[in-house]
Amino acid sequence: MNDQAARLRRMIEDKHPRSDNKSNNIQENSKPEKLSANRGPRTIAITSGKGGVGKTNLTVNLAIALGNMGKRVIIIDADMGMANVDILLGTTSRINLMSLLESDVALEDVLLRGPYGVSYISGGSGMEHAMELTSTERDILFRKLAGCEEWADIILIDTGAGIGGNVLDFISAADEVLLITTPEPTALTDAYAVMKGYSSISDNPNLKLIVNRVIDEPEIREVVGTLSRTAERFLKISVECLGYIYDDQMMIKSVRQQVPVMAGYPESISSRCILSIAKGLLNGHQEKVKLGWRGFLKRIFRS
Ligand SMILES: Nc1ncnc2c1ncn2[C@@H]1O[C@H](COP(=O)(O)OP(=O)(O)OP(=O)(O)O)[C@@H](O)[C@H]1O
Ligand SMILES: [Mg+2]
């Protein structure tokens, strides 16, 4: 769809708000505002080499922090089959991205409005099997998902760990990549493998590190120094650190309670670290030519 058509559709929809929304997933009064500016959302993939290092917690809490700062955020739970986002929010969703293939299911039906103002789409196996879909099916997903750009300023994609499956496709299709690691040697080795895979297939690598579960500042410096020096030397890419999150009992407690730490314990050290990462994302953002959400979808669905 061209820009003019999109503008026109927005004008019509603004005058005649849809009344045929079958689902109550997004309550009429809590619908995120549509984009007025004609610019696509930032598409940020959150990934890791090793599993269990904090991707989903970062994604969900970052979404809450950015939401509190006035940004409209959509999470795509692309960690297939794990429904991680649901678990952290204490929700269950039976509808997912694949449901869009049904003719009577619209984006608004799969765009779930969770607690704490978090909007998200469960990935199901939709993106994982993108290559196995027929071109018509891919076209349907592309067309319906493209509508996300009207509902979001930022799209956060929670990917699976490692470089298997479609993870590298996801991260190379996104405008920005946040690579999260803990200081553990195994996590660092796996993080390096992601950097290597990503830099080998990305035309314009844009990767920032987040170090999670740190104990003190010397540890942060060591992790960032090791990874950035290795990346510079062997991969010829520069990697900066966007932030760090201290190891925090409140984070563990919040996961058990299924209440994101940013909502349940906003004053905790981990919440404050995530808030600072959110600020860094908004303030330190360099304006670059972006592929945006449609560019991401095109690469995933080759539409
Ligand atoms: N800053 C932290 N302090 C203490 N514990 C943490 C911290 N971050 C994460 N954890 C612990 O690590 C666990 C795994 O976190 P999370 O589910 O976010 O990881 P993940 O990378 O998404 O995992 P997966 O690869 O399985 O999707 C959490 O349940 C929590 O117990
Ligand atoms: Mg996860």
Side-chain angles (χ1 to χ4, degrees):
M1 191 196 338
N2 63 33
D3 291 342
Q4 221 178 353
R7 253 200 318 272
L8 196 63
R9 189 154 63 84
R10 273 200 289 277
M11 278 169 62
I12 293 167
E13 284 189 354
D14 286 344
K15 281 197 174 163
H16 306 284
R18 281 187 185 205
S19 55
D20 61 342
N21 186 12
K22 292 185 286 75
S23 147
N24 289 326
N25 290 330
I26 300 180
Q27 301 297 319
E28 227 21 68
N29 58 5
S30 63
K31 271 192 173 184
E33 267 176 48
K34 283 190 167 186
L35 258 192
S36 51
N38 202 7
R39 233 181 86 201
R42 284 172 71 176
T43 305
I44 306 174
I46 295 172
T47 198
S48 71
K50 190 169 185 274
V53 297
K55 291 178 294 300
T56 307
N57 272 285
L58 175 65
T59 309
V60 168
N61 288 297
L62 201 51
I64 295 173
L66 291 165
N68 291 343
M69 291 158 84
K71 296 292 169 193
R72 296 161 319 141
V73 183
I74 292 177
I75 297 175
I76 309 282
D77 187 353
D79 194 355
M80 309 309 162
M82 306 292 285
N84 278 198
V85 173
D86 267 326
I87 294 168
L88 285 191
L89 291 172
T91 52
T92 38
S93 50
R94 276 183 215 95
I95 194 155
N96 64 41
L97 197 139
M98 281 305 264
S99 315
L100 286 174
L101 289 175
E102 291 162 36
S103 60
D104 59 344
V105 175
L107 175 64
E108 286 87 336
D109 300 320
V110 298
L111 184 54
L112 305 165
R113 179 85 168 157
Y116 323 109
V118 176
S119 300
Y120 68 105
I121 298 179
S122 284
S125 55
M127 289 195 167
E128 189 178 42
H129 296 295
M131 298 305 121
E132 296 159 26
L133 299 171
T134 65
S135 66
T136 315
E137 287 172 329
R138 277 187 271 151
D139 193 51
I140 292 169
L141 288 183
F142 175 81
R143 209 162 24 80
K144 290 189 179 177
L145 282 171
C148 280
E149 64 189 9
E150 297 187 20
W151 302 105
D153 303 308
I154 298 173
I155 296 180
L156 299 176
I157 301 147
D158 181 11
T159 77
I163 52 175
N166 276 19
V167 175
L168 277 184
D169 286 339
F170 287 143
I171 66 174
S172 63
D175 290 319
E176 300 163 61
V177 177
L178 300 186
L179 175 63
I180 180 163
T181 181
T182 63
E184 279 183 345
T186 46
L188 295 180
T189 317
D190 293 351
Y192 178 74
V194 171
M195 285 182 182
K196 192 173 173 188
Y198 171 61
S199 65
S200 71
I201 61 168
S202 173
D203 310 331
N204 185 13
N206 184 0
L207 181 141
K208 293 197 176 81
L209 275 180
I210 310 272
V211 192
N212 191 19
R213 309 198 69 163
V214 293
I215 304 293
D216 55 21
E217 286 192 17
E219 190 175 49
I220 301 163
R221 279 197 293 275
E222 199 183 320
V223 169
V224 175
T226 308
L227 279 178
S228 60
R229 272 195 307 273
T230 322
E232 222 154 274
R233 183 158 172 216
F234 297 105
L235 309 175
K236 311 287 180 242
I237 57 167
S238 74
V239 172
E240 46 173 293
C241 177
L242 183 65
Y244 50 84
I245 308 165
Y246 279 96
D247 193 73
D248 182 10
Q249 285 305 311
M250 290 316 205
M251 176 72 96
I252 297 171
K253 195 169 166 188
S254 77
V255 172
R256 293 208 182 119
Q257 295 173 337
Q258 290 185 284
V259 175
V261 72
M262 191 62 83
Y265 306 99
E267 297 306 324
S268 64
I269 184 74
S270 49
S271 293
R272 283 187 279 130
C273 290
I274 294 169
L275 184 61
S276 140
I277 293 170
K279 285 183 182 160
L281 268 180
L282 297 189
N283 303 335
H285 179 49
Q286 297 154 358
E287 288 295 331
K288 280 191 167 192
V289 179
K290 295 182 293 169
L291 290 171
W293 178 234
R294 277 170 192 259
F296 175 82
L297 291 173
K298 271 193 180 145
R299 290 200 182 188
I300 297 302
F301 296 112
R302 312 289 201 275
S303 189

